Every structure is written in structure tokens, then in C-alpha cells.
Amino acid sequence: MLQADERRLVAWENRAEWPLTGLAVVFLVAYAWQVLDDGATPGVRTVLEIALWVVWFVFAVDYAVRLKLAVNKPKFIVRHLFDLLAVLLPIVRQLRVLRLITVLNVLNKRLAGKIRQRVGIYVAGVTLMVGLCASLAVLDAERHHENATITTFADAVWWTLTTISTVGYGDRYPVTWEGRMVAGLLMVGGIALLGVITGTIASWLVEKLSGVEQQLQRADDELVAEVRSLRTELAELRAELRGTALGAPALNQSAGPEHA
């Protein structure tokens, strides 16, 4: 059973899930706008930058509150390492996209019961989110470098597809340290994504097989119960037949003198 403080932590996380999800979506939209609209006016860029920093501040406050409510703080830090990185690395512009991991965690927790039954939706959704974030981050890091090979969003998407699928054609590649860091995270994320997909499919198969096994067990139990019921009825019928057979001679003997 959860201790009182852990119940408070769970209650806070449950209340904050959907607000944080909405803020993560706001962050994604603002970040994508900032990256894709390279010719935006200074006013627009200022508004977008403020929005990004406000979202970061809210996530930082949320992490601080959860850490305070956690009973085992070292365990909490280890289990929420990506959240900690998202809070500690805001000055590295390309790594601010790490905050979007929060929305993945929220959606995965909220829809865990349904996702396993819709593996295709889960795979498509997670792959799209990871690919979009990586494409935006690497484009933001690379496009203004003099030796850049990734200068458009199409280039970034192509590079992301070849990297996350471990194909690696080499026609597009990052040349800045920020872009290479994004590439490293994407490689690790791609491996983790494949592991999650495999685990999800395995969990779904085990759940389905377990359901079939339970149905077969119930059918066996019903069959056994029916056989036992038939045996009981046959035993009663035999007893009844024996009683009838034993009663017939006695009836004949009692009727004999009358006929005589």
C-alpha cells in the first residue's frame, strides 16, 4: 500500500497530467513555429521565446513539487531522469525539445490500457512524435552552419528517417556539436523505441494468449462439471431402476394367492 506521501505524489501527478500535456503541445507548436519560420519578425520571435520559457518554468515547478512529495527521492530522480534533464538544460536550445518527453510519458500512462490493443496506433504515434522533434531540433542546430548538409525541413525529415531506422545513407549528416548530440539521442531513442514496440507487441500477445488460456480453462471446468452432473444423474437412474426391479418380484408374490 502506498504511504501517505506517495499517495500525495500520485494525486498531484494525476491532477497535473492533462495541464502538462496541454503545455507540452503548446511548447511543440511554439518550437516548431520558431524553427520553421526563419524569417519571423523580432516581435513574433520574442513572443515565441517567452512562451517557451514559461512552459519550461511550469515544468520546472512541477518537477520540484514532485521531488518534494516523493518519499524515496534518489529513486524518483533516477526514474524521472529525462524530466530532470529537461529542467537542467534549458540554455542548450536544441535540447529544449527534451521537455516533450513529458507528453509521451503522460499519454503512455493515460492510454496504457488501450494502446496494447492498438499496437499500430501506438507505433505510428510515438514514431511520428520522436521523428518530428528530432527533425526540428537538428534543423535548428544545422541550417545556419557554413558546411551544413541539413538546411531545410525536408532534409531534416530525410535524415531522421535514415537515422532512426539505422539505415544511415550518409547523404545528410550533422556537422555541429548540437546536431551530433541530437543524432546521438535519436540513435538511442530509436533503439529504445524498437524495444518499447517489441515489448508492447509481446505484452499484447501474452494478454491475448492469456485470455485464450482462461477461456479454455473455463470450458474445461464447465465440461468437467457437466460430466459430473451426468454421472450423478446416471447413478440416480440406476438406483431407481434397481429399486423398480426389486419391487416387481415382491409385487408378483403378493398377487399370487389372490389369483390362486
Side-chain angles (χ1 to χ4, degrees):
M1 180 178 293
L2 290 174
Q3 300 180 11
D5 287 345
E6 292 294 355
R7 288 199 296 267
R8 290 171 57 198
L9 174 61
V10 172
W12 171 268
E13 290 179 340
N14 290 336
R15 288 195 301 267
E17 275 180 356
W18 283 116
L20 291 179
T21 301
L23 286 176
V25 173
V26 170
F27 179 89
L28 176 59
V29 172
Y31 185 78
W33 189 348
Q34 189 180 63
V35 173
L36 298 178
D37 190 5
D38 196 30
T41 63
V44 173
R45 288 194 167 275
T46 301
V47 171
L48 295 175
E49 193 68 24
I50 292 175
L52 294 175
W53 279 104
V54 168
V55 173
W56 169 83
F57 178 76
V58 173
F59 280 122
V61 171
D62 171 71
Y63 183 86
V65 172
R66 287 186 292 147
L67 180 60
K68 182 179 180 180
L69 294 177
V71 175
N72 190 338
K73 289 178 172 53
K75 182 178 179 180
F76 175 86
I77 293 174
V78 172
R79 292 182 61 184
H80 300 83
L81 185 59
F82 283 113
D83 292 343
L84 178 60
L85 292 176
V87 171
L88 295 180
L89 298 175
I91 59 174
V92 182
R93 188 180 179 196
Q94 286 71 30
L95 295 183
R96 289 182 301 182
V97 75
L98 283 176
R99 298 170 212 162
L100 292 171
I101 293 175
T102 302
V103 72
L104 297 178
N105 291 336
V106 170
L107 292 178
N108 185 67
K109 184 189 301 183
R110 176 71 68 173
L111 303 177
K114 299 179 180 179
I115 279 175
R116 287 196 300 268
Q117 300 173 2
R118 300 180 179 180
V119 180
I121 296 177
Y122 175 75
V123 173
V126 174
T127 302
L128 180 62
M129 179 64 70
V130 172
L132 176 61
C133 294
S135 300
L136 292 172
V138 76
L139 177 61
D140 194 16
E142 293 290 310
R143 64 180 168 193
H144 295 304
H145 194 274
E146 58 181 358
N147 297 322
T149 62
I150 302 173
T151 57
T152 65
F153 185 65
D155 293 338
V157 171
W158 173 248
W159 171 83
T160 299
L161 290 175
T162 58
T163 302
I164 199 172
S165 62
T166 68
V167 174
Y169 282 107
D171 55 341
R172 297 287 184 272
Y173 53 87
V175 296
T176 65
W177 72 268
E178 298 97 334
R180 289 173 180 172
M181 186 175 294
V182 173
L185 292 173
L186 181 60
M187 293 173 190
V188 175
I191 296 173
L193 179 60
L194 291 176
V196 170
I197 293 172
T198 303
T200 302
I201 294 175
S203 175
W204 179 76
L205 290 175
V206 169
E207 183 178 343
K208 289 299 182 182
L209 292 176
S210 177
V212 172
E213 183 177 356
Q214 291 176 0
Q215 291 178 359
L216 292 176
Q217 184 63 41
R218 285 196 298 267
D220 290 342
D221 293 341
E222 293 175 358
L223 181 59
V224 170
E226 187 175 353
V227 170
R228 288 176 179 175
S229 177
L230 289 175
R231 287 179 176 176
T232 301
E233 292 179 2
L234 287 175
E236 294 176 353
L237 182 60
R238 287 175 181 174
E240 185 178 349
L241 290 175
R242 286 196 188 100
T244 303
L246 292 176
L251 180 63
N252 292 333
Q253 290 178 3
S254 62
E258 298 178 359
H259 290 289

mmCIF file of all heavy atoms in Angstrom, residues 32-78:
data_model
loop_
_atom_site.group_PDB
_atom_site.id
_atom_site.type_symbol
_atom_site.label_atom_id
_atom_site.label_comp_id
_atom_site.label_asym_id
_atom_site.label_seq_id
_atom_site.Cartn_x
_atom_site.Cartn_y
_atom_site.Cartn_z
ATOM 1 N N ALA A 32 8.137 24.543 -33.041
ATOM 2 C CA ALA A 32 8.082 24.302 -34.484
ATOM 3 C C ALA A 32 7.933 25.615 -35.249
ATOM 4 O O ALA A 32 8.573 25.817 -36.296
ATOM 5 C CB ALA A 32 6.917 23.372 -34.799
ATOM 6 N N TRP A 33 7.120 26.508 -34.767
ATOM 7 C CA TRP A 33 6.944 27.813 -35.406
ATOM 8 C C TRP A 33 8.267 28.570 -35.419
ATOM 9 O O TRP A 33 8.670 29.141 -36.430
ATOM 10 C CB TRP A 33 5.880 28.600 -34.653
ATOM 11 C CG TRP A 33 5.442 29.869 -35.335
ATOM 12 C CD1 TRP A 33 6.044 30.487 -36.394
ATOM 13 C CD2 TRP A 33 4.288 30.652 -35.016
ATOM 14 N NE1 TRP A 33 5.359 31.617 -36.754
ATOM 15 C CE2 TRP A 33 4.268 31.743 -35.922
ATOM 16 C CE3 TRP A 33 3.285 30.547 -34.058
ATOM 17 C CZ2 TRP A 33 3.270 32.722 -35.872
ATOM 18 C CZ3 TRP A 33 2.295 31.515 -34.016
ATOM 19 C CH2 TRP A 33 2.295 32.585 -34.916
ATOM 20 N N GLN A 34 8.964 28.548 -34.297
ATOM 21 C CA GLN A 34 10.227 29.260 -34.197
ATOM 22 C C GLN A 34 11.271 28.702 -35.162
ATOM 23 O O GLN A 34 12.049 29.445 -35.762
ATOM 24 C CB GLN A 34 10.745 29.175 -32.754
ATOM 25 C CG GLN A 34 11.943 30.049 -32.459
ATOM 26 C CD GLN A 34 12.383 29.900 -31.018
ATOM 27 O OE1 GLN A 34 12.785 28.827 -30.592
ATOM 28 N NE2 GLN A 34 12.299 30.985 -30.262
ATOM 29 N N VAL A 35 11.282 27.386 -35.332
ATOM 30 C CA VAL A 35 12.283 26.757 -36.196
ATOM 31 C C VAL A 35 11.922 26.919 -37.670
ATOM 32 O O VAL A 35 12.774 27.269 -38.504
ATOM 33 C CB VAL A 35 12.434 25.268 -35.845
ATOM 34 C CG1 VAL A 35 13.343 24.559 -36.863
ATOM 35 C CG2 VAL A 35 12.994 25.110 -34.440
ATOM 36 N N LEU A 36 10.665 26.670 -38.008
ATOM 37 C CA LEU A 36 10.267 26.651 -39.409
ATOM 38 C C LEU A 36 10.113 28.050 -39.995
ATOM 39 O O LEU A 36 10.374 28.259 -41.180
ATOM 40 C CB LEU A 36 8.952 25.878 -39.562
ATOM 41 C CG LEU A 36 9.008 24.397 -39.162
ATOM 42 C CD1 LEU A 36 7.642 23.757 -39.302
ATOM 43 C CD2 LEU A 36 10.044 23.653 -40.000
ATOM 44 N N ASP A 37 9.697 29.017 -39.182
ATOM 45 C CA ASP A 37 9.525 30.387 -39.672
ATOM 46 C C ASP A 37 10.818 31.166 -39.411
ATOM 47 O O ASP A 37 10.898 31.994 -38.495
ATOM 48 C CB ASP A 37 8.332 31.040 -38.968
ATOM 49 C CG ASP A 37 7.954 32.369 -39.612
ATOM 50 O OD1 ASP A 37 8.559 32.728 -40.654
ATOM 51 O OD2 ASP A 37 7.075 33.059 -39.058
ATOM 52 N N ASP A 38 11.803 30.890 -40.239
ATOM 53 C CA ASP A 38 13.119 31.502 -40.032
ATOM 54 C C ASP A 38 13.109 32.999 -40.297
ATOM 55 O O ASP A 38 13.977 33.734 -39.835
ATOM 56 C CB ASP A 38 14.145 30.816 -40.948
ATOM 57 C CG ASP A 38 15.567 31.114 -40.523
ATOM 58 O OD1 ASP A 38 15.791 31.313 -39.314
ATOM 59 O OD2 ASP A 38 16.455 31.150 -41.396
ATOM 60 N N GLY A 39 12.112 33.459 -41.021
ATOM 61 C CA GLY A 39 12.038 34.885 -41.334
ATOM 62 C C GLY A 39 11.038 35.638 -40.492
ATOM 63 O O GLY A 39 10.579 36.710 -40.898
ATOM 64 N N ALA A 40 10.689 35.101 -39.326
ATOM 65 C CA ALA A 40 9.706 35.762 -38.472
ATOM 66 C C ALA A 40 10.237 37.101 -37.959
ATOM 67 O O ALA A 40 11.442 37.305 -37.814
ATOM 68 C CB ALA A 40 9.354 34.860 -37.291
ATOM 69 N N THR A 41 9.325 38.005 -37.686
ATOM 70 C CA THR A 41 9.700 39.321 -37.173
ATOM 71 C C THR A 41 10.235 39.191 -35.747
ATOM 72 O O THR A 41 9.929 38.219 -35.039
ATOM 73 C CB THR A 41 8.485 40.253 -37.181
ATOM 74 O OG1 THR A 41 7.483 39.718 -36.288
ATOM 75 C CG2 THR A 41 7.910 40.372 -38.581
ATOM 76 N N PRO A 42 11.017 40.154 -35.292
ATOM 77 C CA PRO A 42 11.533 40.114 -33.913
ATOM 78 C C PRO A 42 10.429 40.037 -32.870
ATOM 79 O O PRO A 42 10.589 39.376 -31.839
ATOM 80 C CB PRO A 42 12.319 41.419 -33.806
ATOM 81 C CG PRO A 42 12.729 41.726 -35.213
ATOM 82 C CD PRO A 42 11.599 41.267 -36.068
ATOM 83 N N GLY A 43 9.296 40.691 -33.127
ATOM 84 C CA GLY A 43 8.191 40.631 -32.177
ATOM 85 C C GLY A 43 7.645 39.232 -32.015
ATOM 86 O O GLY A 43 7.394 38.763 -30.899
ATOM 87 N N VAL A 44 7.444 38.563 -33.140
ATOM 88 C CA VAL A 44 6.946 37.184 -33.103
ATOM 89 C C VAL A 44 7.939 36.280 -32.399
ATOM 90 O O VAL A 44 7.568 35.426 -31.577
ATOM 91 C CB VAL A 44 6.657 36.682 -34.527
ATOM 92 C CG1 VAL A 44 6.311 35.187 -34.507
ATOM 93 C CG2 VAL A 44 5.520 37.483 -35.158
ATOM 94 N N ARG A 45 9.221 36.442 -32.709
ATOM 95 C CA ARG A 45 10.245 35.611 -32.079
ATOM 96 C C ARG A 45 10.278 35.840 -30.568
ATOM 97 O O ARG A 45 10.484 34.903 -29.801
ATOM 98 C CB ARG A 45 11.612 35.901 -32.690
ATOM 99 C CG ARG A 45 11.755 35.365 -34.101
ATOM 100 C CD ARG A 45 13.213 35.354 -34.548
ATOM 101 N NE ARG A 45 13.357 34.562 -35.758
ATOM 102 C CZ ARG A 45 13.509 33.240 -35.768
ATOM 103 N NH1 ARG A 45 13.519 32.578 -34.636
ATOM 104 N NH2 ARG A 45 13.635 32.594 -36.903
ATOM 105 N N THR A 46 10.079 37.079 -30.149
ATOM 106 C CA THR A 46 10.060 37.372 -28.712
ATOM 107 C C THR A 46 8.896 36.683 -28.024
ATOM 108 O O THR A 46 9.042 36.096 -26.944
ATOM 109 C CB THR A 46 9.987 38.889 -28.480
ATOM 110 O OG1 THR A 46 11.120 39.521 -29.080
ATOM 111 C CG2 THR A 46 9.960 39.203 -26.992
ATOM 112 N N VAL A 47 7.719 36.735 -28.650
ATOM 113 C CA VAL A 47 6.539 36.084 -28.074
ATOM 114 C C VAL A 47 6.754 34.578 -27.975
ATOM 115 O O VAL A 47 6.434 33.950 -26.948
ATOM 116 C CB VAL A 47 5.290 36.397 -28.919
ATOM 117 C CG1 VAL A 47 4.105 35.551 -28.459
ATOM 118 C CG2 VAL A 47 4.951 37.870 -28.840
ATOM 119 N N LEU A 48 7.292 33.976 -29.031
ATOM 120 C CA LEU A 48 7.547 32.534 -29.014
ATOM 121 C C LEU A 48 8.562 32.173 -27.940
ATOM 122 O O LEU A 48 8.417 31.156 -27.243
ATOM 123 C CB LEU A 48 8.033 32.081 -30.392
ATOM 124 C CG LEU A 48 7.025 32.208 -31.535
ATOM 125 C CD1 LEU A 48 7.675 31.830 -32.864
ATOM 126 C CD2 LEU A 48 5.809 31.318 -31.279
ATOM 127 N N GLU A 49 9.606 32.988 -27.815
ATOM 128 C CA GLU A 49 10.640 32.707 -26.811
ATOM 129 C C GLU A 49 10.066 32.798 -25.403
ATOM 130 O O GLU A 49 10.378 31.964 -24.542
ATOM 131 C CB GLU A 49 11.796 33.695 -26.982
ATOM 132 C CG GLU A 49 13.047 33.307 -26.215
ATOM 133 C CD GLU A 49 13.707 32.049 -26.759
ATOM 134 O OE1 GLU A 49 13.493 31.724 -27.955
ATOM 135 O OE2 GLU A 49 14.430 31.387 -25.989
ATOM 136 N N ILE A 50 9.223 33.774 -25.169
ATOM 137 C CA ILE A 50 8.583 33.898 -23.855
ATOM 138 C C ILE A 50 7.705 32.687 -23.572
ATOM 139 O O ILE A 50 7.700 32.152 -22.453
ATOM 140 C CB ILE A 50 7.764 35.206 -23.787
ATOM 141 C CG1 ILE A 50 8.695 36.420 -23.811
ATOM 142 C CG2 ILE A 50 6.892 35.224 -22.538
ATOM 143 C CD1 ILE A 50 7.968 37.752 -23.875
ATOM 144 N N ALA A 51 6.940 32.265 -24.576
ATOM 145 C CA ALA A 51 6.083 31.096 -24.400
ATOM 146 C C ALA A 51 6.903 29.865 -24.042
ATOM 147 O O ALA A 51 6.534 29.086 -23.147
ATOM 148 C CB ALA A 51 5.268 30.845 -25.670
ATOM 149 N N LEU A 52 8.033 29.674 -24.713
ATOM 150 C CA LEU A 52 8.885 28.513 -24.434
ATOM 151 C C LEU A 52 9.437 28.560 -23.015
ATOM 152 O O LEU A 52 9.478 27.540 -22.317
ATOM 153 C CB LEU A 52 10.023 28.454 -25.456
ATOM 154 C CG LEU A 52 9.609 28.176 -26.900
ATOM 155 C CD1 LEU A 52 10.824 28.256 -27.823
ATOM 156 C CD2 LEU A 52 8.949 26.809 -27.014
ATOM 157 N N TRP A 53 9.859 29.740 -22.579
ATOM 158 C CA TRP A 53 10.411 29.863 -21.239
ATOM 159 C C TRP A 53 9.337 29.710 -20.169
ATOM 160 O O TRP A 53 9.597 29.151 -19.097
ATOM 161 C CB TRP A 53 11.132 31.200 -21.073
ATOM 162 C CG TRP A 53 12.516 31.159 -21.637
ATOM 163 C CD1 TRP A 53 12.944 31.700 -22.805
ATOM 164 C CD2 TRP A 53 13.652 30.521 -21.052
ATOM 165 N NE1 TRP A 53 14.278 31.446 -22.997
ATOM 166 C CE2 TRP A 53 14.748 30.730 -21.934
ATOM 167 C CE3 TRP A 53 13.863 29.802 -19.883
ATOM 168 C CZ2 TRP A 53 16.014 30.227 -21.675
ATOM 169 C CZ3 TRP A 53 15.130 29.300 -19.621
ATOM 170 C CH2 TRP A 53 16.190 29.520 -20.505
ATOM 171 N N VAL A 54 8.124 30.164 -20.436
ATOM 172 C CA VAL A 54 7.028 29.987 -19.481
ATOM 173 C C VAL A 54 6.716 28.504 -19.307
ATOM 174 O O VAL A 54 6.533 28.008 -18.180
ATOM 175 C CB VAL A 54 5.775 30.759 -19.935
ATOM 176 C CG1 VAL A 54 4.551 30.356 -19.107
ATOM 177 C CG2 VAL A 54 6.005 32.255 -19.807
ATOM 178 N N VAL A 55 6.659 27.771 -20.423
ATOM 179 C CA VAL A 55 6.411 26.330 -20.342
ATOM 180 C C VAL A 55 7.531 25.649 -19.569
ATOM 181 O O VAL A 55 7.292 24.777 -18.718
ATOM 182 C CB VAL A 55 6.269 25.726 -21.755
ATOM 183 C CG1 VAL A 55 6.187 24.208 -21.677
ATOM 184 C CG2 VAL A 55 5.034 26.284 -22.446
ATOM 185 N N TRP A 56 8.775 26.025 -19.865
ATOM 186 C CA TRP A 56 9.898 25.433 -19.136
ATOM 187 C C TRP A 56 9.769 25.706 -17.641
ATOM 188 O O TRP A 56 10.009 24.818 -16.810
ATOM 189 C CB TRP A 56 11.226 26.019 -19.628
ATOM 190 C CG TRP A 56 12.368 25.640 -18.732
ATOM 191 C CD1 TRP A 56 13.080 24.487 -18.745
ATOM 192 C CD2 TRP A 56 12.903 26.429 -17.662
ATOM 193 N NE1 TRP A 56 14.029 24.497 -17.752
ATOM 194 C CE2 TRP A 56 13.941 25.671 -17.073
ATOM 195 C CE3 TRP A 56 12.603 27.686 -17.147
ATOM 196 C CZ2 TRP A 56 14.679 26.148 -15.986
ATOM 197 C CZ3 TRP A 56 13.334 28.162 -16.063
ATOM 198 C CH2 TRP A 56 14.360 27.393 -15.502
ATOM 199 N N PHE A 57 9.376 26.912 -17.264
ATOM 200 C CA PHE A 57 9.247 27.258 -15.853
ATOM 201 C C PHE A 57 8.175 26.402 -15.173
ATOM 202 O O PHE A 57 8.364 25.931 -14.045
ATOM 203 C CB PHE A 57 8.903 28.745 -15.710
ATOM 204 C CG PHE A 57 8.715 29.188 -14.286
ATOM 205 C CD1 PHE A 57 9.804 29.376 -13.457
ATOM 206 C CD2 PHE A 57 7.436 29.415 -13.783
ATOM 207 C CE1 PHE A 57 9.629 29.775 -12.139
ATOM 208 C CE2 PHE A 57 7.262 29.810 -12.470
ATOM 209 C CZ PHE A 57 8.356 29.987 -11.647
ATOM 210 N N VAL A 58 7.054 26.187 -15.855
ATOM 211 C CA VAL A 58 5.986 25.367 -15.285
ATOM 212 C C VAL A 58 6.465 23.938 -15.081
ATOM 213 O O VAL A 58 6.208 23.319 -14.032
ATOM 214 C CB VAL A 58 4.734 25.402 -16.184
ATOM 215 C CG1 VAL A 58 3.681 24.422 -15.678
ATOM 216 C CG2 VAL A 58 4.160 26.805 -16.231
ATOM 217 N N PHE A 59 7.180 23.400 -16.061
ATOM 218 C CA PHE A 59 7.708 22.041 -15.911
ATOM 219 C C PHE A 59 8.735 21.976 -14.787
ATOM 220 O O PHE A 59 8.820 20.974 -14.068
ATOM 221 C CB PHE A 59 8.315 21.557 -17.217
ATOM 222 C CG PHE A 59 7.306 21.067 -18.207
ATOM 223 C CD1 PHE A 59 7.206 21.636 -19.459
ATOM 224 C CD2 PHE A 59 6.434 20.039 -17.888
ATOM 225 C CE1 PHE A 59 6.271 21.190 -20.377
ATOM 226 C CE2 PHE A 59 5.496 19.572 -18.796
ATOM 227 C CZ PHE A 59 5.409 20.163 -20.043
ATOM 228 N N ALA A 60 9.520 23.018 -14.626
ATOM 229 C CA ALA A 60 10.497 23.043 -13.540
ATOM 230 C C ALA A 60 9.793 23.044 -12.186
ATOM 231 O O ALA A 60 10.194 22.329 -11.254
ATOM 232 C CB ALA A 60 11.403 24.265 -13.681
ATOM 233 N N VAL A 61 8.730 23.845 -12.062
ATOM 234 C CA VAL A 61 7.959 23.878 -10.815
ATOM 235 C C VAL A 61 7.321 22.518 -10.555
ATOM 236 O O VAL A 61 7.320 22.018 -9.415
ATOM 237 C CB VAL A 61 6.894 24.988 -10.877
ATOM 238 C CG1 VAL A 61 5.940 24.898 -9.687
ATOM 239 C CG2 VAL A 61 7.550 26.360 -10.927
ATOM 240 N N ASP A 62 6.759 21.913 -11.591
ATOM 241 C CA ASP A 62 6.134 20.595 -11.433
ATOM 242 C C ASP A 62 7.157 19.566 -10.958
ATOM 243 O O ASP A 62 6.871 18.762 -10.059
ATOM 244 C CB ASP A 62 5.519 20.156 -12.762
ATOM 245 C CG ASP A 62 5.041 18.714 -12.721
ATOM 246 O OD1 ASP A 62 4.038 18.441 -12.036
ATOM 247 O OD2 ASP A 62 5.690 17.865 -13.372
ATOM 248 N N TYR A 63 8.347 19.580 -11.542
ATOM 249 C CA TYR A 63 9.377 18.625 -11.125
ATOM 250 C C TYR A 63 9.771 18.863 -9.671
ATOM 251 O O TYR A 63 9.946 17.910 -8.897
ATOM 252 C CB TYR A 63 10.600 18.743 -12.031
ATOM 253 C CG TYR A 63 11.684 17.741 -11.699
ATOM 254 C CD1 TYR A 63 11.653 16.458 -12.237
ATOM 255 C CD2 TYR A 63 12.715 18.072 -10.835
ATOM 256 C CE1 TYR A 63 12.633 15.527 -11.927
ATOM 257 C CE2 TYR A 63 13.699 17.151 -10.512
ATOM 258 C CZ TYR A 63 13.653 15.878 -11.069
ATOM 259 O OH TYR A 63 14.620 14.958 -10.743
ATOM 260 N N ALA A 64 9.915 20.135 -9.270
ATOM 261 C CA ALA A 64 10.293 20.451 -7.894
ATOM 262 C C ALA A 64 9.220 19.982 -6.911
ATOM 263 O O ALA A 64 9.543 19.433 -5.844
ATOM 264 C CB ALA A 64 10.518 21.956 -7.754
ATOM 265 N N VAL A 65 7.966 20.161 -7.260
ATOM 266 C CA VAL A 65 6.877 19.719 -6.384
ATOM 267 C C VAL A 65 6.874 18.203 -6.264
ATOM 268 O O VAL A 65 6.741 17.654 -5.159
ATOM 269 C CB VAL A 65 5.521 20.227 -6.920
ATOM 270 C CG1 VAL A 65 4.362 19.612 -6.135
ATOM 271 C CG2 VAL A 65 5.456 21.747 -6.843
ATOM 272 N N ARG A 66 7.015 17.501 -7.373
ATOM 273 C CA ARG A 66 7.017 16.040 -7.322
ATOM 274 C C ARG A 66 8.206 15.510 -6.533
ATOM 275 O O ARG A 66 8.097 14.529 -5.806
ATOM 276 C CB ARG A 66 7.018 15.473 -8.740
ATOM 277 C CG ARG A 66 5.677 15.634 -9.457
ATOM 278 C CD ARG A 66 5.682 14.927 -10.787
ATOM 279 N NE ARG A 66 6.588 15.565 -11.729
ATOM 280 C CZ ARG A 66 7.273 14.926 -12.668
ATOM 281 N NH1 ARG A 66 7.193 13.603 -12.750
ATOM 282 N NH2 ARG A 66 8.050 15.576 -13.497
ATOM 283 N N LEU A 67 9.348 16.155 -6.702
ATOM 284 C CA LEU A 67 10.527 15.734 -5.943
ATOM 285 C C LEU A 67 10.313 15.938 -4.450
ATOM 286 O O LEU A 67 10.713 15.103 -3.628
ATOM 287 C CB LEU A 67 11.752 16.517 -6.414
ATOM 288 C CG LEU A 67 13.080 16.190 -5.712
ATOM 289 C CD1 LEU A 67 13.445 14.730 -5.916
ATOM 290 C CD2 LEU A 67 14.187 17.101 -6.233
ATOM 291 N N LYS A 68 9.680 17.024 -4.075
ATOM 292 C CA LYS A 68 9.405 17.283 -2.667
ATOM 293 C C LYS A 68 8.421 16.269 -2.097
ATOM 294 O O LYS A 68 8.548 15.844 -0.932
ATOM 295 C CB LYS A 68 8.860 18.701 -2.504
ATOM 296 C CG LYS A 68 8.594 19.082 -1.055
ATOM 297 C CD LYS A 68 8.086 20.505 -0.947
ATOM 298 C CE LYS A 68 7.820 20.880 0.517
ATOM 299 N NZ LYS A 68 7.317 22.272 0.637
ATOM 300 N N LEU A 69 7.429 15.868 -2.878
ATOM 301 C CA LEU A 69 6.419 14.917 -2.406
ATOM 302 C C LEU A 69 6.920 13.480 -2.381
ATOM 303 O O LEU A 69 6.357 12.644 -1.675
ATOM 304 C CB LEU A 69 5.171 15.001 -3.284
ATOM 305 C CG LEU A 69 4.386 16.321 -3.237
ATOM 306 C CD1 LEU A 69 3.228 16.267 -4.221
ATOM 307 C CD2 LEU A 69 3.882 16.608 -1.835
ATOM 308 N N ALA A 70 7.955 13.180 -3.157
ATOM 309 C CA ALA A 70 8.454 11.808 -3.247
ATOM 310 C C ALA A 70 9.076 11.379 -1.929
ATOM 311 O O ALA A 70 9.826 12.132 -1.300
ATOM 312 C CB ALA A 70 9.467 11.686 -4.379
ATOM 313 N N VAL A 71 8.786 10.157 -1.499
ATOM 314 C CA VAL A 71 9.378 9.616 -0.282
ATOM 315 C C VAL A 71 10.823 9.212 -0.528
ATOM 316 O O VAL A 71 11.731 9.601 0.205
ATOM 317 C CB VAL A 71 8.563 8.404 0.217
ATOM 318 C CG1 VAL A 71 9.250 7.753 1.409
ATOM 319 C CG2 VAL A 71 7.153 8.832 0.582
ATOM 320 N N ASN A 72 11.047 8.431 -1.589
ATOM 321 C CA ASN A 72 12.398 7.997 -1.947
ATOM 322 C C ASN A 72 12.907 8.907 -3.065
ATOM 323 O O ASN A 72 12.701 8.648 -4.244
ATOM 324 C CB ASN A 72 12.382 6.533 -2.393
ATOM 325 C CG ASN A 72 13.770 5.955 -2.557
ATOM 326 O OD1 ASN A 72 14.744 6.691 -2.744
ATOM 327 N ND2 ASN A 72 13.872 4.636 -2.482
ATOM 328 N N LYS A 73 13.577 9.981 -2.684
ATOM 329 C CA LYS A 73 13.983 10.988 -3.656
ATOM 330 C C LYS A 73 15.045 10.479 -4.642
ATOM 331 O O LYS A 73 14.958 10.772 -5.839
ATOM 332 C CB LYS A 73 14.462 12.243 -2.935
ATOM 333 C CG LYS A 73 13.309 12.999 -2.260
ATOM 334 C CD LYS A 73 13.792 14.203 -1.526
ATOM 335 C CE LYS A 73 12.614 15.049 -1.039
ATOM 336 N NZ LYS A 73 11.612 14.291 -0.261
ATOM 337 N N PRO A 74 16.077 9.732 -4.210
ATOM 338 C CA PRO A 74 17.036 9.201 -5.198
ATOM 339 C C PRO A 74 16.367 8.306 -6.245
ATOM 340 O O PRO A 74 16.681 8.393 -7.437
ATOM 341 C CB PRO A 74 18.022 8.406 -4.329
ATOM 342 C CG PRO A 74 17.944 9.056 -2.988
ATOM 343 C CD PRO A 74 16.528 9.463 -2.832
ATOM 344 N N LYS A 75 15.435 7.478 -5.821
ATOM 345 C CA LYS A 75 14.718 6.622 -6.769
ATOM 346 C C LYS A 75 13.881 7.461 -7.717
ATOM 347 O O LYS A 75 13.794 7.169 -8.918
ATOM 348 C CB LYS A 75 13.837 5.634 -6.005
ATOM 349 C CG LYS A 75 13.094 4.660 -6.889
ATOM 350 C CD LYS A 75 12.280 3.686 -6.052
ATOM 351 C CE LYS A 75 11.516 2.711 -6.951
ATOM 352 N NZ LYS A 75 10.713 1.762 -6.145
ATOM 353 N N PHE A 76 13.263 8.510 -7.194
ATOM 354 C CA PHE A 76 12.452 9.394 -8.038
ATOM 355 C C PHE A 76 13.321 10.052 -9.098
ATOM 356 O O PHE A 76 12.929 10.150 -10.267
ATOM 357 C CB PHE A 76 11.765 10.454 -7.175
ATOM 358 C CG PHE A 76 11.002 11.474 -7.964
ATOM 359 C CD1 PHE A 76 9.694 11.233 -8.340
ATOM 360 C CD2 PHE A 76 11.590 12.680 -8.346
ATOM 361 C CE1 PHE A 76 8.977 12.174 -9.077
ATOM 362 C CE2 PHE A 76 10.886 13.618 -9.077
ATOM 363 C CZ PHE A 76 9.577 13.362 -9.437
ATOM 364 N N ILE A 77 14.513 10.512 -8.716
ATOM 365 C CA ILE A 77 15.409 11.178 -9.666
ATOM 366 C C ILE A 77 15.816 10.222 -10.778
ATOM 367 O O ILE A 77 15.835 10.585 -11.963
ATOM 368 C CB ILE A 77 16.642 11.731 -8.937
ATOM 369 C CG1 ILE A 77 16.225 12.870 -8.005
ATOM 370 C CG2 ILE A 77 17.690 12.218 -9.930
ATOM 371 C CD1 ILE A 77 17.344 13.391 -7.127
ATOM 372 N N VAL A 78 16.144 8.992 -10.416
ATOM 373 C CA VAL A 78 16.564 8.003 -11.417
ATOM 374 C C VAL A 78 15.416 7.678 -12.365
ATOM 375 O O VAL A 78 15.606 7.586 -13.586
ATOM 376 C CB VAL A 78 17.072 6.730 -10.718
ATOM 377 C CG1 VAL A 78 17.327 5.625 -11.739
ATOM 378 C CG2 VAL A 78 18.347 7.030 -9.938
#
